[in-house]
Amino acid sequence: MASLPPLLCLCVAAAHLAGARGATLIEEPTETTWGLEGPAPHPGQPSAALEDWEEASEWTSWFNVDHPGGEGDFESLAAIRFYYGPARVCPRPLALEARTTDWALPAAVGERVHLNPARGFWCLNREQPRGRRCSNYHVRFRCPLEAAWGAWGPWGPCSGSCGPGRRLRRRRCPSPTGDACPGRPLEAQKCVRPRCPGCSPKTCGCPNHILLGSVVTPSGRPLPGAKVSLRDWPGTVATSDAHGTFRMPGVCASSQTNVSAQMDGFSAGTAQAQANSSLSAVVTIVLEKLEKPHLVKHPESRVREAGQNVTFCCKASGTKKYSWFHNGTLLDRRELRYGAHLELRGLRPDQAGAYHCKAWNEAGSVLSGTAELIVLAPGQPACDPQPREHLIKLPDDCGQPGRGPAYLDVGLCPDTLCPGPAGSGPRCGDAASRCCSVRRLESREIQCSGYVLPVKVVAECGCQKCLPPRGLVRGRVVAADTGEPLRFARILLGPEPIGFTSYQGDFTIEVPRATQRLVVTFVEPSGDFMDTVRVLPFDPRGAGVYHEVKAMRKKAPVLLDASQSNTLPLGELQDEPPLGELVLPAGAFRRADGEPYWGAVEARVTFVDPRDLASAAAAPSDLRFADSDGELAPLRTYGMFAVDLRAAGAAEQLQAGPLAVRVAAGQIRMAGHAEALKLWSLNPDTGLWEEEGGFQREAPAGPRVRREERAFLVGNVEVRERRLFNLDVPERRRCFVKVRAYASDKFAAGEQVEGVVVSLVNLEPAPGFSANPRAWGRFDSAVTGPNGACLPAFCDADRPDAYTALLTATLGGEELEPPPSRPRPLPAAVGVAQPYLDRLGYRRTDHDDPALKRNGFRINLAKPRPGHPAEAKGPVYPWRSLRECQEAPVTASHFRFARMEADKYEYNVVPFREGAPASWTGDLLAWWPNPQAFRACFLKVKVQGPQEYMIRSHNVGGSHPRTQGQLYGLRDARSVRDPQRPGTSAACVEFKCSGMLFDQRQVDRTLVTVTPQGSCRRVAVNGLLQDYLARHPPPAPADDPAAFAMLAPLDPLGHNYGVYTVTDQSPRLAKEIAIGRCFDGSSDGFSREMKADAGTAVTFQCREPAAGRPSLFQRLLESPATALGDIRREMSEVARAQA
């Protein structure tokens, strides 16, 4: 475990002990395997028993959380779930398989090991024969495939003898365990029996009796002003007082009558009175706060044939009702008998189109996303067998001289859905997901300079079973002020805990299916940071996205006297007055049960000040609210504040209210905003802001007001369960901005990059100074897809500079660059036609100061004007033209970013688009053999020479009999200069990892040859790497002093070897993380500044060739034998000269 950070080691070790030693109750028998008995199977073959399964199931990817040392090797299930995330292994695995990292079974190496699917794997050094030590093992688990529910059974009888009740129905899961189906086996429905008798003399005819009651929240807080009534008794019979209590004389103590209470903002509650003496009865009625519904499941798009059935599903939290719409038209509830599910039987072509649901209750409503239904005519194919055009760039030496780079059409199959073979039953999900994918590949050969390049192209598409898209979000949580990682912060997905961040603050989240807003909360255990609520953009098609999340440190506590009035400032920027203040009157504090608190109070009020542009990165949520129609609309903030009130010297949280929030009217400068300003609180489960109340201009204290006194807007707030508040204005001047990302600054249409996180910060400029913003107003992020991204923003049609925006883009840890604007922006480079470009005022961040970073640009958000054709095709679109923005062709105006890792090139014999995981094709020559766990490997190459050099890795089959000598792919990477060491550069060169091929039957150790371009010779190889390769034969041919060759290691070696390996569910994320570690020269760090001397595998020394002489790289391509002879002759001459 030496490779893990110390504190994480303790946690993982604890998980090991809990999973491997400390359990006394074992749910399943532990298998102890001796590898000394009987014939050992071939190391490349799986155990036959592990492949014989009657139940539908599949293997997970391989996991390795421990390296042998100390007592042995431990791969406990608890540690795997902690380190990889709980979603990576099913709750109850069926089996476990363990292999050494050389892919040998324990029986083949003669070691005694323990396997238990419920606990994991462990190998103890003390149990091994002849004093040997345990090998390094990795494990995988067999998990059942998700089963589907059977049909619902009939409804049971209605409960109760009279009045309202409920009835139940059940459904059965065909899985043997009975718990493999998602959802519940039981469903309840309201029902009504004959009406119960009214308030009879038996209930209300006892003059000397009394009913004593109270109305409270679930936490016990009393609710004054609640209206209390008896069942079937007309009108209100009592109202709760300031303490939430009420009295009802004349109610018989033994009547056990039902008592109801209602209150604005709360759902109605009912409880039964219970006698506590011969003359009195008591009752406590609990009312839950009525909240707007929040959608947790959106309907999904479907493809069906005419006559088949389809079911759309919508699920919202809280008390709600549902309405369904087809192409914007409300569907008849009585005719279709829908609720949360909409079932359409015997589909007709006219039922194709867009479907969405609306969930609503008394507190508000919310709209779902749109699902598209395609209805195919009989015989109409869902997937065109003819592949579409997809051009890939061939290596530079495969094109015609003087004609630029050559491209080849390798074809692609569109990412479209297909109908199931037998349609769909009455349930939400399809039993088998089928999509249009590659059915057949063809092999071809391309003649290049001095060699033949093999390639496989798509020959035919067809409907086949495909893996469902698995959105993946990875990232790191750091402190906004110091950059230190938030270690072991609790991660909540909505209200549900799903895991913890790592020692380095890293996290991985698998996006639940049918999610549209990923709301994540990070809770730091020490309490020094605000709860960090983020809405993280993700790629719904399954590609991974990387985010760096910044957490804001809480302000230092202030000690308050609860018996005195206290005032705390909101905003403390240097040389700026506070934006407002929070007034806590005397006696405003209460405990959670509603009891007054009069002791000392530790108050921490942390203000996110939009006048500080750096604070936008740490602001919570995404500044959206659900309007009266249920649509998500943006807010413009004037500041957010978190309130933490605790009893002095204790961890007990206190409630308070009503508190006065006073905002300086002079700070609200936008026209109409002072009248529209409202106070909002954040719902951490939904990530949406909900209105708490408005503001009123404060009346002057006396007949005269001094000119220097500030005017205030005053609102009130209660600090209870919610602790994060916002001073916001619903802004109606809205639009969208179109942005695309490209692989290079050539901005070729076929080289768009998906998975780039583009961020837009709305800025409020000082009048007449659009380049000098006064404050930020909101922020948004979006992830680029195959057609770019559309980001919401505030804009104005009359004043182009009423709002400006700063846009940036990142991919993993890499910052992308926009086109330059000096001396003036060029329409062909920026992507926007004139004269609209001048009106938008495009300026890159280094426009005024070339020393600044070139990682963003600012624009005026000038809304397109009707009657101006140049402004009708982007890059700014009206708010109601989102679809037009999303579907705009690449020829329409848009803003651009480009990757600046220049001169990188990747070639795969089997084509694969990393941004579209569904494009993976099972083939022995596939660069990525497993579509569920992508393993990226990089070698760090140091170059001593006067310039930067191109380094190529040539990857062919090395040990597998069916791929030996066959090309997997090529990778080119240009070395990057080390800013601290003149004349030294380094490159992080990708190579194909060794391991199982796609059929999971036998490993291949890839033969990797690394060759620098230029007159270079190998001068050093990492000693640890050299020793490892010597101990793991066979050796690779090493007679070429101008290259480095190896049979790639099977073990995931680290920075000490100069090898960087990362496994992830997203190929792009795996590569980005590995490159960051390679630049840093560490196994857990991250850098974009090259450290050439740290963690290097091989070193070359290069010199400039003589004038007119081709480079060694070119000579090797044109005439390998002659070039190698020249190298040997030159080295012999150097050796003789040195002697």
Side-chain angles (χ1 to χ4, degrees), residues 378-724:
Q380 179 184 355
C383 176
D384 187 349
Q386 184 66 30
R388 296 180 181 177
E389 182 184 68
H390 177 56
L391 300 177
I392 64 166
K393 182 176 178 291
L394 297 175
D396 291 337
D397 49 5
C398 293
Q400 295 295 325
R403 295 187 181 179
Y407 290 84
L408 176 69
D409 180 13
V410 297
L412 66 81
C413 299
D415 299 330
T416 56
L417 297 174
C418 295
S424 172
R427 56 180 179 267
C428 297
D430 286 332
S433 178
R434 301 176 75 242
C435 61
C436 187
S437 56
V438 176
R439 175 171 287 173
R440 184 167 55 88
L441 292 171
E442 287 183 355
S443 298
R444 296 182 185 175
E445 293 182 344
I446 307 297
Q447 296 296 324
C448 299
S449 179
Y451 67 98
V452 175
L453 183 72
V455 64
K456 293 195 175 186
V457 300
V458 179
E460 183 183 0
C461 302
C463 286
Q464 301 184 94
K465 182 178 180 180
C466 56
L467 294 172
R470 303 169 68 184
L472 191 72
V473 170
R474 285 196 66 162
R476 189 165 178 251
V477 189
V478 299
D481 52 355
T482 64
E484 63 180 295
L486 260 66
R487 298 184 172 98
F488 308 114
R490 191 157 54 104
I491 306 174
L492 304 176
L493 189 60
E496 300 296 329
I498 61 170
F500 299 85
T501 60
S502 72
Y503 182 80
Q504 295 294 337
D506 300 316
F507 65 88
T508 301
I509 299 172
E510 187 172 332
V511 182
R513 187 175 175 180
T515 298
Q516 292 210 341
R517 279 171 54 87
L518 184 67
V519 182
V520 184
T521 303
F522 301 93
V523 182
E524 197 268 338
S526 71
D528 293 334
F529 290 83
M530 293 169 49
D531 289 354
T532 305
V533 183
R534 290 289 187 277
V535 180
L536 299 178
F538 63 94
D539 188 340
R541 300 194 312 151
V545 178
Y546 186 91
H547 294 280
E548 182 168 273
V549 178
K550 297 192 175 180
M552 194 163 188
R553 197 181 301 274
K554 289 180 181 177
K555 192 173 177 61
V558 177
L559 199 62
L560 306 179
D561 184 349
S563 63
Q564 303 290 326
S565 180
N566 300 275
T567 300
L568 299 176
L570 298 177
E572 296 181 350
L573 285 184
Q574 188 175 3
D575 302 327
E576 290 280 353
L579 189 139
E581 57 193 23
L582 182 66
V583 182
L584 300 92
F589 299 97
R590 299 183 302 273
R591 298 185 187 274
D593 60 2
E595 288 296 318
Y597 177 83
W598 296 99
V601 178
E602 287 185 358
R604 305 174 85 167
V605 177
T606 308
F607 190 69
V608 181
D609 198 327
R611 297 173 298 177
D612 177 10
L613 297 184
S615 68
S621 186
D622 63 349
L623 286 172
R624 289 175 184 259
F625 76 104
D627 64 15
S628 58
D629 296 324
E631 293 190 61
L632 299 188
L635 292 168
R636 192 272 191 227
T637 187
Y638 281 94
M640 311 175 191
F641 60 96
V643 182
D644 188 2
L645 306 173
R646 297 180 186 271
E652 179 189 5
Q653 278 200 339
L654 300 175
Q655 299 181 358
L659 310 181
V661 181
R662 305 175 74 234
V663 179
Q667 296 286 346
I668 315 298
R669 298 183 175 97
M670 296 285 285
H673 279 199
E675 295 77 16
L677 185 69
K678 295 182 183 295
L679 188 64
W680 308 73
S681 66
L682 179 65
N683 184 334
D685 296 343
T686 67
L688 296 174
W689 296 91
E690 297 179 4
E691 184 179 338
E692 291 281 339
F695 284 84
Q696 299 292 330
R697 190 171 293 272
E698 187 176 49
R704 295 186 178 181
V705 180
R706 293 195 302 270
R707 179 170 297 178
E708 63 272 14
E709 287 186 351
R710 296 195 296 167
F712 285 92
L713 305 172
V714 181
N716 294 316
V717 66
E718 293 266 354
V719 179
R720 292 174 182 160
E721 291 81 8
R722 296 187 184 176
R723 305 271 166 161
L724 188 56

Side-chain angles (χ1 to χ4, degrees), residues 358 881 1009:
K358 179 178 182 178
S881 300
T1009 305

Side-chain angles (χ1 to χ4, degrees), residues 261-269 286-291 319 362:
Q262 290 183 328
M263 186 174 177
D264 290 343
F266 291 83
S267 58
V286 179
L287 302 187
E288 294 188 2
K289 185 174 177 59
L290 191 62
E291 296 185 347
T319 305
E362 292 83 351

